[in-house]
């Protein structure tokens, strides 16, 4: 049973009494009840504060370990060692125009995958207490901001280069690490975009020639691709067909997409349907000598009339089709349509598929 304490003499009294049994002073029951509630709240507050301090201390301790320089270097080295890991959060480039994403920094990982001893030496160097970055190093460690405004954030500073590519032929499509990067118009031409230091597989693919080389890009020296290799017509056709298949990432064959593009416009649709109805041949070919504004059409296919004056030229790249209609020597502007739209309009049900596949089966090829 709780006692009521006299505020005058301090004697503990039975809560049933209104006056102190010792000094006769009036007992303040309400004030004592309020004081009890206040004490309970104060205890809860102190417990919460203690838990918060404990939590903050634990988080601070964990952060000091996790974000220590050694631990950050460990994660960087693990990412450098394995091209499947995302290295981009740890990279800072000297060129602000460089887009730091996993695919663009992978050449650096591929480089260190081939030179493990260099990576081991780098690992030891970055952990040294008196480490000072050297401008000549391939990569250097630099503090760039803080995590949560508390812990220092370290990144690897890497240089970039905009190399000049030298070949014995032009124009050509430049492939970097298997991906079609851009069309180069000159035998000696600057790439025009920064590339991070690392190991690259460069390949130049012209209309009848190609060259390739694996390069450790570490300086601003020109990238000299070896002498071109001339192909026979059969080799060229095989290569271009394989290239076109790799560019087409949809589940629809390239010639089928061509027929659907032809159906997209009234004039090309009338030509396709009318010619096939009248048994006039339409040829499906790989474009070799066509040009737009003086530039060759690399990687294009064509649906051609026998006189070659009427043609639908198109190129499939991933999920997009770029095309133009040419009739009597006059060409329409280049246009683009998505594969999804073509499938929705002309390949959605069995009747549509049957009609399109019937047109495809009537196309002829020039061997």
């Amino acid at each position: 049973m709780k006692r009521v304490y006299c505020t005058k003499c301090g004697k503990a009294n039975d809560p049933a009494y209104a006056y102190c049994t010792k000094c006769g002073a009036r007992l303040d029951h309400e004030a004592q009840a309020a004081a009890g509630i206040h004490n309970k709240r104060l205890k809860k507050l102190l417990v919460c504060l203690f838990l918060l301090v404990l939590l903050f201390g634990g988080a601070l301790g964990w952060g000091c370990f996790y974000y220590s320089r050694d631990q950050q270097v460990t994660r960087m080295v693990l990412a450098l060692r394995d091209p499947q890991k995302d290295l981009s959060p740890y990279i800072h480039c000297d060129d602000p125009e460089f887009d730091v994403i996993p695919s663009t920094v992978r050449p650096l990982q591929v480089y260190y995958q081939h030179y493990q001893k260099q990576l081991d030496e780098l690992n030891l160097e970055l952990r040294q207490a008196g480490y000072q970055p050297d401008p000549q190093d391939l990569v250097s460690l630099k503090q760039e901001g803080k995590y949560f405004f508390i812990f220092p954030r370290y990144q690897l500073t890497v240089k970039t280069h905009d190399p000049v590519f030298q070949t014995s032929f032009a124009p050509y499509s430049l492939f970097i690490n298997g991906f079609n990067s851009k069309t180069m118009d000159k035998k000696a031409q600057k790439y025009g975009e920064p590339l991070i230091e690392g190991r690259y597989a460069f390949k130049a693919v012209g209309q009848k020639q190609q060259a390739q080389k694996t390069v450790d890009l570490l300086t601003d020296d020109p990238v000299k691709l070896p002498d071109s290799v001339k192909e026979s017509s059969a080799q060229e056709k095989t290569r271009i067909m394989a290239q076109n298949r790799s560019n087409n990432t949809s589940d629809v064959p390239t010639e089928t997409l061509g027929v659907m593009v032809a159906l997209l416009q009234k004039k090309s649709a009338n030509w396709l349907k009318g010619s096939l109805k009248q048994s006039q041949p339409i040829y499906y070919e790989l474009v070799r000598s066509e040009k737009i504004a003086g530039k060759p059409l690399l990687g294009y296919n064509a649906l051609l009339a026998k006189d070659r004056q009427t043609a639908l030229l198109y190129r499939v790249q991933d999920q997009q089709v770029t095309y133009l209609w040419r009739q009597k020597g006059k060409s329409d502007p280049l246009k683009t349509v998505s594969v999804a739209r073509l499938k929705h309009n002309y390949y959605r049900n069995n009747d549509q598929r049957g009609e399109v596949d019937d047109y495809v089966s009537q196309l002829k090829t020039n061997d």
Side-chain angles (χ1 to χ4, degrees):
M1 183 177 64
K2 292 184 178 181
R3 314 291 286 177
V4 179
Y5 293 89
C6 177
T7 57
K8 186 175 181 180
C9 67
K11 179 175 175 58
N13 292 272
D14 190 290
Y17 296 149
Y19 296 93
C20 178
T21 56
K22 182 177 180 181
C23 67
R26 186 174 182 83
L27 299 175
D28 193 344
H29 291 267
E30 292 182 0
Q32 187 133 352
I37 295 173
H38 175 74
N39 289 336
K40 286 183 180 179
R41 289 177 178 174
L42 183 59
K43 287 180 181 179
K44 289 181 179 179
L45 180 60
L46 290 175
V47 170
C48 290
L49 285 175
F50 174 76
L51 292 176
L52 284 174
V53 169
L54 192 64
L55 182 63
F56 178 78
L60 186 63
W62 175 85
C64 288
F65 169 76
Y66 185 81
Y67 294 110
S68 66
R69 191 176 77 172
D70 271 3
Q71 288 300 312
Q72 292 189 54
V73 168
T74 297
R75 291 191 288 274
M76 292 173 187
V77 172
L78 287 174
L80 282 169
R81 204 179 294 277
D82 183 1
Q84 299 303 317
K85 293 184 180 295
D86 184 5
L87 179 65
S88 59
Y90 311 117
I91 295 297
H92 172 79
C93 282
D94 59 357
D95 189 336
E97 298 296 322
F98 183 78
D99 188 14
V100 180
I101 57 176
S103 59
T104 60
V105 302
R106 192 163 290 123
L108 182 63
Q109 296 169 284
V110 175
Y111 175 86
Y112 278 117
Q113 191 178 38
H114 283 80
Y115 301 102
Q116 292 284 333
K117 186 176 179 180
Q118 286 190 27
L119 182 57
D120 293 338
E121 293 173 352
L122 176 67
N123 183 27
L124 295 175
E125 181 183 356
L126 297 182
R127 297 176 188 275
Q128 292 177 2
Y131 169 78
Q132 291 294 329
D134 186 342
Q136 301 303 318
D137 288 342
L138 176 62
V139 298
S140 57
L141 190 67
K142 185 179 180 181
Q143 184 177 335
E144 294 284 345
K146 291 182 178 294
Y147 289 106
F148 308 109
F149 306 102
I150 301 174
F151 311 108
R153 179 186 183 186
Y154 292 95
Q155 285 188 302
L156 297 172
T157 299
V158 189
K159 288 177 283 190
T160 59
H161 303 282
D162 185 4
V164 172
F165 287 91
Q166 295 179 348
T167 61
S168 61
F169 58 93
Y172 59 89
S173 292
L174 179 64
F175 287 76
I176 299 180
N177 297 330
F179 293 95
N180 192 343
S181 178
K182 60 169 60 177
T183 299
M184 308 288 273
D185 300 317
K186 300 176 182 178
K187 294 180 181 179
Q189 182 175 336
K190 206 166 191 178
Y191 183 61
E193 297 176 20
L195 295 175
I196 197 171
E197 290 190 342
R199 170 165 281 216
Y200 292 85
F202 295 119
K203 185 176 182 180
V205 179
Q207 290 187 309
K208 292 190 176 181
Q209 297 165 294
Q210 59 179 318
Q212 60 185 1
K213 187 178 182 182
T214 298
V215 177
D216 290 335
L217 187 66
L218 306 177
T219 68
D220 291 318
D221 293 341
V223 177
K224 299 178 181 179
L225 300 182
D227 291 343
S228 59
V229 178
K230 291 189 176 181
E231 301 174 302
S232 66
S233 296
Q235 288 174 325
E236 178 194 7
K237 184 174 181 179
T238 300
R239 173 179 58 77
I240 297 177
M241 289 182 69
Q243 177 182 324
N244 287 350
R245 282 196 297 270
S246 66
N247 289 340
N248 179 12
T249 59
S250 72
D251 57 353
V252 182
T254 304
E255 56 268 37
T256 304
L257 289 173
V259 167
M260 289 193 280
V261 172
L263 295 174
L264 194 61
Q265 303 179 104
K266 184 176 181 180
K267 49 190 175 183
S268 55
N270 290 338
W271 165 71
L272 176 74
K273 294 177 180 179
S275 298
L276 296 178
K277 186 175 182 180
Q278 297 172 26
S279 299
Q280 297 176 359
I282 293 180
Y283 294 90
Y284 167 68
E285 292 186 2
L286 303 169
V287 175
R288 291 183 174 88
S289 58
E290 299 291 338
K291 294 183 177 181
I292 295 180
K295 294 185 177 182
L297 295 176
L298 298 176
Y300 275 73
N301 303 277
L303 300 183
L304 290 161
K306 188 175 183 179
D307 60 6
R308 308 185 74 85
Q309 295 300 306
T310 302
L312 174 72
L313 309 175
Y314 66 100
R315 181 187 185 207
V316 184
Q317 185 71 40
D318 297 327
Q319 296 293 319
Q320 299 289 326
V321 183
T322 303
Y323 66 95
L324 68 85
W325 169 253
R326 189 189 68 198
Q327 194 168 27
K328 296 179 180 179
K330 295 183 178 180
S331 299
D332 290 349
L334 280 171
K335 298 179 181 178
T336 301
V337 63
S338 68
V339 172
R341 180 186 170 190
L342 293 173
K343 291 172 67 176
H344 178 79
N345 289 354
Y346 307 110
Y347 219 60
R348 190 168 34 167
N349 54 51
N350 291 333
D351 290 341
Q352 290 178 326
R353 290 195 192 95
E355 180 184 4
V356 171
D357 292 343
D358 181 55
Y359 293 143
V360 172
S361 68
Q362 297 180 63
L363 299 178
K364 299 184 179 298
T365 57
N366 281 330
D367 298 325

